Amino acid sequence: MLNVRNPPLEGVRVIELAGLAPAPFAGLLLADYGASVLRIDRPLPHPQNSRPVQPTADLLTRRKSSVAVDLKSPDGRALLEAILLQVDVLLDPFRPGVLESLSLSPQQLLEKNPRLIVARLTGFRRDGPYAAMVGHDINYLALSGILSQLGRADGPPNPPANILADFAGGGLMCALGILLALFERTASGKGQVVENSMVDGVGYLGSLMRYARKTSLWDRPRGHNLLDGGCPWYDVYQCKDGGYMAVGALEPRFFHCLVQGLELPELDDIALREDRASWPAIREQFRLRFLGKSRHEWEKTFDGTDACCTPVLDQQELENTHSEQRLPISLQSTPGLSINEEQSWTSGGLVPDSGGTILLYQWFGWKIGKDLQIQGGGVVKTNLAKL
């Protein structure tokens, strides 16, 4: 019988300085695998403002708590410093120099808590010409070289929303860096600074794309290669009802299943496939054939076959059919925390100062009125001399 133990990151305490997209995603990953994550938010509005406090724009808040702290005030910074003396990870989403301007440089923090892991997530490289500039996913993707390879031949480069730099090259890579630092700490007993540039993160993700430019796999202009929409049997086709089917029949045996299902057996010819001059005609035949039936009809044709032909499902379809959302990694003995149906499809966000003081009590035994008090819309620490 399998002995299931606690989640792998249970007991790990994480401070997430409030931000959007990549850093919250890193915090979400850690929380889903058992870490206790506390988000540090800006101080609350003046109490004379009668409007209720609303959740922030951050939707990646599952399993997190929040405490409002004024980091511009000495008392607010003192509270954060007191917290950082006793936690494992600090997630820093700010531009270079912000922590230093608050007298919270990683060097200062590590001197006071040598076991602390300071994860610093930036868009551009800290040592490059863009270091002091602001940017977003599309800018980091552009500088990585990867954006130049994405898109159709007859149009400009086309970014896939902000999935690649913000989430894959940023938040996911940052979480990996934190896990590496936690693992190393088991041997050395010491924390360290984890640096994550989204330009470097997404560039690393594109390692194959970069190397493949010097092979027949990707040696042609954008939109003319095997995996970028140039190949007819690695593309998306519209159906009669407006739905879409995704085709990825790269290998000959899979291509054979595809053309059999499309009732185009005359295309099952290796020489024809290898002749790129024939690709436009093959694409047109595929296009017309897919337009002849609804997506549901094509699903019935290809389900259970090796044609590598699947429906393009939209998020609303998945929600309507109660599709289960699962964690990306399943650990048999120390699984992460399951995602229920409501959590799969809805995020209510997190209202600043929600559950944070409760979590501080659970962590350190600090109580409002005794160890903590509200000052200027934020929480501050009393009796700091006892720390």
Side-chain angles (χ1 to χ4, degrees):
M1 184 176 179
L2 187 64
N3 180 24
V4 177
R5 302 186 295 277
N6 293 335
L9 297 181
E10 184 168 289
V12 174
R13 297 170 176 173
V14 179
I15 293 298
E16 176 188 313
L17 301 179
L20 291 174
F25 184 61
L28 179 71
L29 278 166
L30 300 176
D32 275 340
Y33 285 93
S36 183
V37 180
L38 176 61
R39 190 179 74 187
I40 305 296
D41 278 303
R42 294 179 178 179
L44 299 175
H46 193 278
Q48 290 182 349
N49 187 338
S50 60
R51 289 180 298 179
V53 179
Q54 298 297 315
T56 68
D58 174 21
L59 297 176
L60 305 175
T61 58
R62 188 168 57 236
R63 310 185 210 283
K64 298 180 185 178
S65 301
S66 165
V67 65
V69 181
D70 184 1
L71 295 181
K72 294 182 179 180
S73 77
D75 289 341
R77 290 195 297 274
L79 170 63
L80 180 58
E81 288 186 78
I83 293 171
L84 293 176
L85 289 173
Q86 305 179 68
V87 300
D88 301 287
V89 178
L90 171 64
L91 260 172
D92 168 25
F94 298 147
R95 293 171 65 181
V98 172
L99 278 188
E100 288 79 358
S101 71
L102 297 171
S103 299
L104 296 169
S105 72
Q107 291 71 28
Q108 292 171 298
L109 297 176
L110 285 168
E111 285 176 6
K112 296 176 179 179
N113 179 5
R115 291 178 57 81
L116 182 65
I117 292 163
V118 182
R120 312 196 76 180
L121 212 166
T122 62
F124 303 117
R125 292 174 174 173
R126 288 183 182 271
D127 59 352
Y130 298 90
M133 293 173 55
V134 296
H136 286 292
D137 175 285
I138 192 170
N139 306 116
Y140 316 138
L141 190 59
L143 291 183
S144 74
I146 302 303
L147 181 56
S148 70
Q149 295 179 269
L150 302 176
R152 295 289 180 177
D154 56 354
N158 187 25
N162 65 330
I163 291 292
L164 288 182
D166 274 356
F167 293 101
L172 183 62
M173 290 292 186
C174 184
L176 172 61
I178 291 169
L179 295 178
L180 292 172
L182 285 170
F183 179 76
E184 193 283 332
R185 196 179 70 174
T186 62
S188 69
K190 296 186 179 298
Q192 59 183 297
V193 178
V194 174
E195 289 279 8
N196 173 209
S197 148
M198 284 178 256
V199 170
D200 292 327
V202 75
Y204 191 89
L205 285 170
S207 295
L208 175 64
M209 296 172 69
R210 185 169 60 254
Y211 296 145
R213 291 171 45 251
K214 299 180 181 180
T215 74
S216 59
L217 180 63
W218 220 305
D219 61 350
R220 295 169 184 260
R222 180 180 63 253
H224 290 279
N225 299 283
L226 189 66
L227 301 176
D228 64 359
C231 174
W233 47 92
Y234 199 89
D235 209 342
V236 177
Y237 291 92
Q238 187 173 6
C239 306
K240 184 178 181 179
D241 59 351
Y244 293 90
M245 295 292 289
V247 174
L250 293 174
E251 293 79 4
R253 65 185 184 278
F254 303 150
F255 184 82
H256 169 79
C257 295
L258 174 68
V259 294
Q260 291 298 318
L262 292 173
E263 299 181 359
L264 292 170
E266 66 275 13
L267 298 182
D268 195 10
D269 183 324
I270 293 293
L272 188 67
R273 276 165 45 91
E274 293 180 349
D275 178 12
R276 286 180 178 254
S278 70
W279 283 12
I282 294 175
R283 183 186 304 279
E284 181 64 9
Q285 287 181 273
F286 283 1
R287 186 185 72 83
L288 293 174
R289 192 51 58 97
F290 275 108
L291 282 172
K293 294 182 181 179
S294 69
R295 196 194 77 182
H296 180 65
E297 289 176 298
W298 286 122
E299 287 180 62
K300 290 196 296 183
T301 296
F302 289 114
D303 280 0
T305 75
D306 285 341
C308 300
C309 186
T310 55
V312 177
L313 305 178
D314 65 43
Q315 300 283 11
Q316 192 60 56
E317 284 181 274
L318 291 170
E319 182 174 2
N320 290 345
T321 56
H322 308 284
S323 178
E324 180 184 13
Q325 297 295 301
R326 300 179 180 179
L327 293 180
I329 303 296
S330 176
L331 300 174
Q332 287 191 346
S333 298
T334 57
L337 302 169
S338 61
I339 303 172
N340 64 38
E341 184 172 342
E342 182 179 358
Q343 292 171 329
S344 295
W345 299 107
T346 303
S347 170
L350 184 63
V351 174
D353 218 33
S354 296
T357 54
I358 295 174
L359 187 60
L360 290 175
Y361 175 75
Q362 293 172 348
W363 281 359
F364 313 132
W366 294 351
K367 297 181 179 179
I368 286 284
K370 179 182 178 183
D371 307 283
L372 304 170
Q373 63 184 27
I374 307 300
Q375 179 178 298
V379 179
V380 298
K381 184 78 174 69
T382 60
N383 60 325
L384 284 169
K386 295 182 180 181
L387 292 174

